[in-house]
Amino acid sequence: MRFDVITLFPDMFDAIGDFGVSGRARQRGLWHLHAWNPRDFTHDVHRTVDDRPYGGGPGMVMMAEPLEQAVRAAQAARTQADAASGDAPVILMSPTGRRFDQGVAQGLSETRGAILVCGRYEGVDQRFIERCVTDEISLGDFVLSGGEIAALAVMDSVVRLLPGALNDAQSAPQDSFNDALTGLLDSPHYTRPESYHGLEVPSELLSGHHKNIAQWRRERSLELTLRRRPELIERAREQGLLSKADEAFLRSLMPLVR
Ligand SMILES: C[S@@+](CC[C@H](N)C(=O)[O-])C[C@H]1O[C@@H](n2cnc3c(N)ncnc32)[C@H](O)[C@@H]1O
């Protein structure tokens, strides 16, 4: 897998290439990361990448040309490295894009990667979007100063799904939202000590009884999801992912949930 990032701040991506799960996965060669700065594709002495918006208004807009040149360079480099990865999606990070979630991450993890474009200022010239962008992704209903943090989040969530990225391959399937199981929220976690300021680890987790532990976790997942994200319960139900025991447990909770 290979990610190319178009960014005015390439150094921000050291955060993912060098540290933790994603850093280890990169060192193991599971994925590659290349950053391209649109300033390197300008032709004036100031290396200008932005200009004032037509029609007036506050702020600046990223110009189409340096962005397009950077994308074309990334596409050429991808093709040269691996012919099949040259036509990777070009994804603009944008608050107006499709909402990112675990399903999108899972889908991307099964591809050869993507070219991620990070906007800054008021955004990017629409003609760049029309000519080069295949998809727009939003991290959520809030506005960041730039697309870099969104791109980092997208890459981190995708890379940890690559086979061999996590030391314990069971971790990802147990995470929240994992569609392979139920798309439910994860259950609470505890580690040593057994007692912390008078708060005890639930006895089920200390029992050593695998079936009881699995049931406790399942019920806590169902309960948390019902309280915080009831629409995920509905989706799991529609997908036939809830057992009779799950449904019975959920019914037992109904009087408690407002
Ligand atoms: C200050 S924002 C521009 C916001 C834009 N004027 C709007 O209101 O939709 C600058 C850049 O940050 C990135 N960005 C901001 N919020 C984002 C989000 N929720 N998801 C993904 N990218 C985001 C985009 O790349 C955007 O071009």
Side-chain angles (χ1 to χ4, degrees), residues 93-95 119-123 137-140 142-147 150:
M93 300 297 118
S94 167
R120 280 269 154 181
Y121 316 120
E122 289 305 312
I137 282 183
S138 168
L139 207 58
F142 46 83
V143 177
L144 298 162
S145 316

Side-chain angles (χ1 to χ4, degrees), residues 84-237:
S85 94
D87 63 352
V90 178
I91 303 175
L92 176 65
M93 300 297 118
S94 167
T96 63
R98 169 166 67 124
R99 184 81 81 83
F100 189 65
D101 64 15
Q102 190 68 15
V104 180
Q106 183 68 44
L108 271 173
S109 76
E110 291 158 15
T111 71
R112 287 168 188 269
I115 298 172
L116 305 182
V117 183
C118 304
R120 280 269 154 181
Y121 316 120
E122 289 305 312
V124 309
D125 190 306
Q126 183 64 24
R127 293 162 299 179
F128 163 73
I129 299 176
E130 283 167 25
R131 282 174 56 81
C132 302
V133 169
T134 60
D135 204 358
E136 295 182 51
I137 282 183
S138 168
L139 207 58
D141 291 347
F142 46 83
V143 177
L144 298 162
S145 316
E148 285 77 9
I149 289 173
L152 286 164
V154 167
M155 287 190 288
D156 185 76
S157 62
V158 170
V159 163
R160 68 196 304 285
L161 294 174
L162 295 177
L166 295 178
N167 288 332
D168 183 345
Q170 289 309 309
S171 299
Q174 283 183 8
D175 284 341
S176 298
F177 312 115
N178 194 300
D179 282 341
L181 288 174
T182 56
L184 301 180
L185 302 181
D186 196 7
S187 58
H189 300 276
Y190 295 86
T191 187
R192 284 190 284 186
E194 272 183 41
S195 179
Y196 178 70
H197 294 284
L199 297 173
E200 308 298 328
V201 173
S203 57
E204 291 85 346
L205 298 180
L206 303 173
S207 68
H209 190 294
H210 295 302
K211 203 164 160 249
N212 289 355
I213 292 171
Q215 184 182 344
W216 182 88
R217 288 185 170 148
R218 180 73 176 177
E219 291 181 352
R220 296 296 75 71
S221 273
L222 288 162
E223 187 174 359
L224 193 64
T225 312
L226 184 66
R227 286 181 194 282
R228 293 198 182 156
R229 300 289 304 277
E231 80 281 10
L232 295 180
I233 294 277
E234 209 38 60
R235 196 177 68 178
R237 187 171 283 136

